[in-house]
């Protein structure tokens, strides 16, 4: 740890603040985040069957994720309320889990990784809500940023040693 | 999987709905959920140092969790807006992680596990927001219900084979 | 018009107020409302085709309606924030329109017709949002209560002379 | 219907998304929408009398409409949260109805017709809330865009054959 | 100060919490709060003139206060989301000030003084917003509880030595 | 009072409106507001002691203020939803009061004095919530703008004759 490492969201006296980004330039920024619903094969089968006409379960979770991204500044105390210019949420059904991937895009003064992460977490919570009567032990794992693009700090890709 | 297993939040045609709980009785219900911020020892040290006078970082995350519990019906599409009569959020700093535990309590017609889970997830997101400049790879793991009490279905404790 | 007719939501001096319902008893109340998206047969065909696996358009509008019901006290200034114990939103595709029906149920101190109406209006707005690139002239018609049940004033059914 | 007609808010697999508008340019955009409260002449008389000093009913509905416009991205799942630079809501009392007109203006990357429509619908719902004790059968009719200005697609005026 | 004096909203370790009120009984509770916009006689004249037909300024502030009361649990981190069964907001124009009085009523498990105070503060902020172009120095003074009724602790009236 | 003095937020007929600012230029704007919690020396001592490790009370109020600033357009009916690029909230404990100062910064088309004022008021309400069990008579005084910078009207400093 270098001497200069510190939490940007608290000042030198430790007081929380919304960091001033008014001098940062407007540029296109994008972030992709992922996570995983860990449940039972029974639940994954139910969700797969729901892939029939009018099956709303995955759509409900997708909408929850997209709307969750918009709620980010309401949920994360020190997050800036920013423009949000595009959000996608995707699911992939596996044996005993559902992989959740979300991307968020903006042309604004700060990054959108919190929006992508909030989309993943909210979609995961919505999935748990819908499956909890069948599997009350379902959990959300690995909510993390996969990559970021744009902004002054440039691109970032999740290092391989951080699974 | 038994034949009767189904997703309670969609009807027989697959359409999403907010399940009718108006006939359920008002009783005290409680849920405890947990999760974990996985980060670096450097970040955990920074959070620990923040445990000095006026260090707000953990308090910000705690407030985020408590307010997140109140936001649950805004975030989870099919969740009932219910009374919320008590919420606690606690953190335990370990080597490379922060354990997050939340409890929610109500005297209402339905359970509060979604409120406890949302508190954990929101506190975790707030922590990531505050540490992401130092550790952009921080993740949230194991967001899950530990136990539920009260209500018609009675008490539930997380089984040992579901870590 | 009888002499006693007046707007309950303003006092004798004309000032708006949230009417005191604290003395009303908790009882099960239900309301059903309906409305109609008027659009083109082309759009209705697109929505019908969307009834294939993973077609989310109607699910998005259904979720919008259910969440809209929960937002009622945020939107209607003098509405009470009440418990909401069940909501359903249904669509029926016709030639050039989509019939929208919503029901809301509560066990609380006041009725839920505003919640049912808000669900219909919000679902209709969400449909317009999704079809406006194809039909910018789509409109919402006939947002109205069909019937109410429960509460002190008893049941009410929409009279035939009010289409 | 041309072959290329499709719902812009779902991808080729039918999954809902918030369409990426980050590459669109910031320009002034305006939309005007309208609708109508259909009620009884008795109610219209009550609202007209309310046009006396301190009569708040129409003001409550106007505020509901303006605040409703601001709530648009909370209500419409796939709507972008955009800057909103001006909103007006006007009422015209007629025999058995109240004409509602709303305009919304922005300098941002996407149009504001949903904001204008939401203002009309919310003002209409607020009117129903205030008159429902006198006329429980009041309805909202013809919520529709009258014209749009600005943006890449240019101006649009409601065609005469779409009343 | 007695030894037992402590902040109820933090535990013995100083951690914030939403205090558990699930064991408290449902009873009718009421609170009245007040405050004052301090401005210029010019502004008070403008507001008084606005007391003509269609003058919306005081109505806007009244609606802001009523809706502010509903927003209380969103604004005050440790406040319980409770039922709110009646709210009134009144203004009295004096020489260089506007007296603001709000009352809130509930039949729930905890008091409503925060709701009454939030109504006063929000109405005051809305007044400042509307007069700030004429008087940028307008201020809000004396936001305080006048009296509380109901609940286990019984009635409370503001003591004369606390102006 | 000059003849031209009028309330900008209502039109010539008195109807409320969100003033059109789409033609104003984007520039950096800043506002500082202040206020005061008036309570007892006992409460101030409790808050001071809370300045020990893990004492959350002031942090809760600070977070309330920062999040309150973000809620401004939800609370103030005619306020524009704007970008908010930085917020700070500070407290100074004195004998029988807590001085509250908030600053808000943006690069947008309109000023941020309402955001700064809302931060002060919300922080003050959160403090009252936490101390009301010890001092039910605590009040908020002097919520006012101290200075504004940027924008077309230029800088403004609170005149000395307006305390």
């Amino acid at each position: 740890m270098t001497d200069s490492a510190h939490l940007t969201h608290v000042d030198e006296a430790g007081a929380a603040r919304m960091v001033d980004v008014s001098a940062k330039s407007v540029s296109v920024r994008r972030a992709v985040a992922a996570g995983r619903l860990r449940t039972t094969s029974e639940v994954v089968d139910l969700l797969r069957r729901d892939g029939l006409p009018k099956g709303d379960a995955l759509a409900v979770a997708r909408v929850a994720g997209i709307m969750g991204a918009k709620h980010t500044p309401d949920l994360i105390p020190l997050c800036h309320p920013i423009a949000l210019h595009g959000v996608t949420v995707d699911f992939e059904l596996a044996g005993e889990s559902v992989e959740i991937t979300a991307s968020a895009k903006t042309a604004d003064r700060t990054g959108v990784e919190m929006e992508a992460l909030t989309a993943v977490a909210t979609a995961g919570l919505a999935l748990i809500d819908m499956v909890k009567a069948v599997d009350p032990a379902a959990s959300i794992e690995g909510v993390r940023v996969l990559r970021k693009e744009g902004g002054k700090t440039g691109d970032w890709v999740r290092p391989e040693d951080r699974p």
Side-chain angles (χ1 to χ4, degrees), chain A residues 37-40 43 127-129 131-132 135-141:
Chain A
L37 176 78
R38 184 153 66 181
T39 180
T40 64
V43 161
L127 284 172
I128 288 188
D129 181 46
V131 309
K132 69 182 191 295
D135 177 21
S139 66
I140 306 172
E141 307 291 336

Side-chain angles (χ1 to χ4, degrees), chain A residues 76-142:
Chain A
I76 312 300
L78 307 178
C79 237
H80 300 85
I82 63 165
L84 197 50
H85 290 119
V87 180
T88 61
V89 176
D90 288 303
F91 302 108
E92 194 175 333
L93 302 183
E96 296 185 335
S97 64
V98 180
E99 298 293 325
I100 309 167
T101 310
S103 73
K105 205 167 177 182
T106 190
D108 207 325
R109 286 180 170 77
T110 183
V112 284
E113 60 264 49
M114 290 315 303
E115 282 71 12
L117 288 166
T118 304
V120 169
T122 313
L125 289 168
L127 284 172
I128 288 188
D129 181 46
M130 288 185 286
V131 309
K132 69 182 191 295
V134 182
D135 177 21
S139 66
I140 306 172
E141 307 291 336

